[in-house]
Amino acid sequence: MPKKKLVIFPYNGNGLESLDCISFDDYDLVGFIDDDPQKKSEQYYIYSREILQQYQELFILAVPGSPATFHRRKEIISTLNVDKSRYITAIHPRATIGKNVKIGDNCLIMAGVVLTSNARINNHVCILPNTVIHHDAVIDDYTIIGSNVVIAGGTIIGNSCYIGSGTNIINNISIGDASLIGLGSNIIKNVTTEAKMVGNPARNLHDLNKLNAYNNQNIL
């Protein structure tokens, strides 16, 4: 069977690291797509988005997002206007996938990741190296999980979240959509939508800012 033609979007850190996760027995890398025409590479071809419309036979792995842009992942990926059948999911050969684990479209699972029984990874999710997601946990669409994160059993991570590297999250809680969890945080209770959590135990920066403003007003 001939290899499938593949492009990766964008030309960023996640995209480069995804090369370690793709089976080149199955895919032939055509190059990267990026919205910044100034980006250059001596190793890879970098194309504009138009290549996706010109060559409908191309498959794609889309892995945009960072702590600064994670909340726009859905918008960025949606504007590629690609049918879901053209997305691939890449899983590093040294990732461990348990029984009854479900993984959606356009996911990137890096080296050393462990997904245990019944974990569910929905669509457009990136999980960086050495993260462990325990039984019955759910990672919803467009979320990025950093490296060396532990998510305990039964916990639900919402849409379009960013979980910073080194974070630990207790079992059977939920993290609200579009939340940002800072590096090395320990989460021991439910987190509301669009929260910014930091520390051990983690606190919501939005709440701390409101408290500081209240205290300043009363001092004055």
Side-chain angles (χ1 to χ4, degrees):
M1 180 178 291
K3 293 182 181 180
K4 298 174 181 175
K5 303 292 186 182
L6 176 69
V7 288
I8 299 171
F9 170 82
Y11 184 60
N12 66 354
N14 287 340
L16 288 170
E17 289 188 77
S18 75
L19 295 173
D20 296 332
C21 306
I22 292 166
S23 170
F24 290 106
D25 291 333
D26 299 323
Y27 294 98
D28 182 15
L29 180 67
V30 174
F32 288 81
I33 294 172
D34 203 280
D35 293 330
D36 182 354
Q38 302 302 316
K39 284 190 179 179
K40 306 292 181 186
S41 170
E42 295 183 356
Q43 290 180 284
Y44 306 105
Y45 291 105
I46 301 177
Y47 302 91
S48 67
R49 291 173 178 236
E50 281 69 27
I51 194 174
L52 290 171
Q53 307 310 320
Q54 291 174 343
Y55 300 98
Q56 294 289 320
E57 70 273 25
L58 287 177
F59 289 82
I60 182 169
L61 179 66
V63 290
S66 68
T69 63
F70 69 97
H71 55 289
R72 294 184 56 233
R73 291 194 81 228
K74 181 177 181 179
E75 172 193 345
I76 294 169
I77 292 173
S78 297
T79 56
L80 291 171
N81 293 319
V82 172
D83 185 86
K84 64 177 294 187
S85 64
R86 295 174 65 186
Y87 285 113
I88 75 160
T89 280
I91 302 174
H92 194 282
R94 291 204 302 275
T96 301
I97 311 300
K99 294 184 182 301
N100 301 315
V101 170
K102 295 180 179 178
I103 302 175
D105 301 319
N106 192 42
C107 290
L108 175 61
I109 313 294
M110 294 190 183
V113 168
V114 177
L115 308 176
T116 71
S117 299
N118 302 315
R120 193 174 83 222
I121 312 300
N122 288 340
N123 301 316
H124 312 290
V125 171
C126 294
I127 305 178
L128 276 58
N130 300 318
T131 281
V132 180
I133 298 176
H134 286 273
H135 69 93
D136 299 299
V138 176
I139 312 299
D140 219 337
D141 297 343
Y142 301 102
T143 281
I144 298 177
I145 310 289
S147 58
N148 297 299
V149 171
V150 176
I151 298 175
T155 282
I156 298 172
I157 310 295
N159 283 292
S160 301
C161 293
Y162 190 99
I163 311 298
S165 295
T167 291
N168 297 301
I169 303 179
I170 200 171
N171 60 302
N172 295 320
I173 65 169
S174 62
I175 306 296
D177 295 344
S179 289
L180 172 66
I181 310 297
L183 295 170
S185 296
N186 284 327
I187 308 294
I188 59 173
K189 62 182 181 181
N190 291 325
V191 171
T192 59
T193 298
E194 298 183 349
K196 286 186 177 181
M197 305 294 293
V198 294
N200 178 20
R203 295 184 176 184
N204 192 342
L205 282 181
H206 294 317
D207 294 339
L208 292 175
N209 290 338
K210 289 178 183 177
L211 178 61
N212 289 336
Y214 173 82
N215 288 336
N216 289 337
Q217 286 178 347
N218 281 276
I219 290 173
L220 294 174

